[in-house]
């Protein structure tokens, strides 16, 4: 009985070993086939169950871009998402208006500036060619009157506006021969040919059709022998006249009322306004009155006014 059991047991174990060996072989072959299939699939770019045709790989979905929020416009609501600021290049600040004529300047352009301001009644003296405090104040007054930036200096805007508001100054306006500026002419001087004499400015302007041809300083008679005022005419001319009443030379005499005349006075040239005439209109610029004497005709107007 025991012997049979041992013998049977041995046969059972041997059979089991054969079965196990066979199963192990099958498993090994299956594993090798699986590995081979995996290598083929890997070479084809796929994994998983074998197939004759490798399935196409699905295309990856594009990653959605974040929404860009437009910059808020004026008066709109602020943006919910502000984009990163772009680098910008700072624009240079425009320079301040550069003066065309600056205070402290000298020269012909300053003289023209002063003559133009004088035409507008903003410069109450003769042009000097120097841009000093008086000219600066006059320019400021003009700028205020035209609603321009008040600087006292003449920039391009001021210069353009002033030139548009005035006419080109004459030679006499730029370099007057009188100490004081000419007074506004009497309306009777604006037509024809006239010796226009102002007692206020103490000047004489020789005018033809409203244009000043020449101008000189003059002085008048004293309170005892005053110079008459009014509208007269040249009655006669005497180049080398001598007064028989006062025994006084009266060169380039232009008589307009009795014994009163416009003429050159050496005393006026020497003493200035420290003296007075006997009623005549004295002139101290000999060269200018000589030229005027040659131009004036008998019958031309002589207008003497305050």
């Amino acid at each position: 009985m025991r012997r049979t059991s041992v013998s049977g047991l041995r046969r059972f174990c041997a059979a089991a070993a054969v079965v196990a060996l066979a199963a192990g072989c099958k498993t090994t072959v299956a594993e090798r086939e699986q590995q081979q299939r995996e290598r083929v699939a890997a070479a084809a770019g796929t994994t998983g169950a074998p197939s004759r045709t490798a399935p196409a790989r699905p295309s990856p979905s594009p990653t959605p871009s974040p929404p860009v929020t437009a910059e808020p416009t004026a008066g709109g609501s602020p943006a919910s998402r502000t984009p990163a600021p772009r680098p910008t290049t700072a624009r240079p600040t425009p320079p301040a208006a550069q003066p065309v004529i600056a205070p402290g300047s000298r020269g012909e352009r300053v003289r023209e500036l002063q003559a133009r301001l004088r035409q507008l009644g903003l410069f109450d003296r003769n042009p000097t060619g120097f841009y000093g405090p008086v000219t600066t104040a006059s320019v400021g007054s003009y700028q205020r009157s035209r609603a321009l930036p008040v600087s006292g200096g003449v920039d391009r805007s001021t210069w353009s506006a002033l030139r548009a508001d005035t006419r080109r100054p004459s030679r006499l306006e730029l370099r007057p021969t009188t100490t004081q500026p000419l007074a506004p002419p009497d309306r009777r001087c604006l037509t024809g040919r006239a010796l226009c004499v102002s007692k206020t400015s103490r000047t004489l302007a020789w005018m033809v059709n409203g244009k000043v041809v020449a101008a000189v300083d003059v002085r008048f008679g004293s309170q005892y022998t005053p110079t008459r005022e009014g509208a007269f005419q040249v009655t006669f001319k005497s180049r080398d006249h001598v007064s028989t009443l006062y025994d006084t030379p009266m060169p380039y005499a232009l008589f307009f009322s009795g014994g009163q005349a416009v003429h050159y006075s050496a005393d006026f040239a020497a003493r200035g306004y420290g003296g007075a005439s006997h009623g005549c209109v004295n002139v101290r610029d000999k060269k200018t009155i000589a030229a005027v004497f040659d131009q004036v005709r008998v019958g031309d107007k002589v207008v003497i006014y305050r």
Side-chain angles (χ1 to χ4, degrees), residues 46-207:
T46 61
T47 58
S51 61
R52 292 183 181 272
T53 303
R57 298 177 64 187
S59 301
S61 301
T63 304
S65 301
V68 178
T69 305
E71 294 183 6
T73 57
S77 60
S80 59
R81 183 172 180 269
T82 305
R86 297 181 181 178
T88 57
T89 303
R91 295 182 180 179
T93 303
Q98 297 298 317
V100 175
I101 315 173
S105 302
R106 295 177 183 271
E108 291 305 305
R109 182 167 273 192
V110 176
R111 193 178 292 275
E112 180 182 351
L113 166 66
Q114 293 168 333
R116 288 181 182 275
L117 290 170
R118 174 150 176 74
Q119 290 177 18
L120 299 175
L122 297 173
F123 190 74
D124 61 352
R125 56 196 67 192
N126 288 334
T128 62
F130 173 64
Y131 200 143
V134 175
T135 305
T136 301
S138 297
V139 170
S141 296
Y142 175 75
Q143 289 170 329
R144 277 189 291 273
S145 70
R146 295 299 183 271
L148 295 167
V150 179
S151 64
V154 180
D155 56 22
R156 293 188 183 279
S157 297
T158 300
W159 186 236
S160 297
L162 182 60
R163 292 183 68 183
D165 287 343
T166 56
R167 55 177 170 72
R168 185 179 181 85
S170 67
R171 181 190 60 80
L172 187 61
E173 288 176 309
L174 293 172
R175 282 183 166 77
T177 55
T178 58
T179 303
Q180 299 295 323
L182 293 175
D186 185 280
R187 60 182 179 80
R188 293 168 291 184
C189 301
L190 299 177
T191 58
R193 301 159 58 88
L195 292 168
C196 201
V197 183
S198 169
K199 284 189 172 182
T200 300
S201 63
R202 297 190 291 190
T203 58
L204 178 152
W206 165 231
M207 302 182 66

Side-chain angles (χ1 to χ4, degrees), residues 58 62 80 97 164 167 218 232 234-235 240 277 287 299 304:
S80 59
R167 55 177 170 72
V218 293
F232 309 93
V234 175
T235 55
D240 297 308
S277 74
K287 181 179 179 180
I304 302 175

Side-chain angles (χ1 to χ4, degrees), residues 16-29:
V18 172
V19 172
L21 179 60
C25 291
K26 290 182 179 179
T27 303
T28 300
V29 172

Side-chain angles (χ1 to χ4, degrees), residues 233-255:
Q233 290 183 334
V234 175
T235 55
F236 74 97
K237 301 168 57 175
S238 178
R239 183 180 298 273
D240 297 308
H241 192 81
V242 176
S243 170
T244 56
L245 182 61
Y246 300 104
D247 194 24
T248 304
M250 299 170 56
Y252 308 107
L254 299 165
F255 288 89

Side-chain angles (χ1 to χ4, degrees), residues 222-291:
S222 66
Q223 61 177 332
Y224 302 107
T225 54
T227 302
R228 303 181 187 102
E229 298 176 16
F232 309 93
Q233 290 183 334
V234 175
T235 55
F236 74 97
K237 301 168 57 175
S238 178
R239 183 180 298 273
D240 297 308
H241 192 81
V242 176
S243 170
T244 56
L245 182 61
Y246 300 104
D247 194 24
T248 304
M250 299 170 56
Y252 308 107
L254 299 165
F255 288 89
F256 59 87
S257 177
Q260 294 189 354
V262 175
H263 66 85
Y264 170 73
S265 169
D267 182 73
F268 183 25
R271 298 174 56 195
Y273 290 101
S277 74
H278 295 99
C280 289
V281 178
N282 289 168
V283 179
R284 60 181 170 185
D285 184 340
K286 190 173 185 178
K287 181 179 179 180
T288 301
I289 192 59

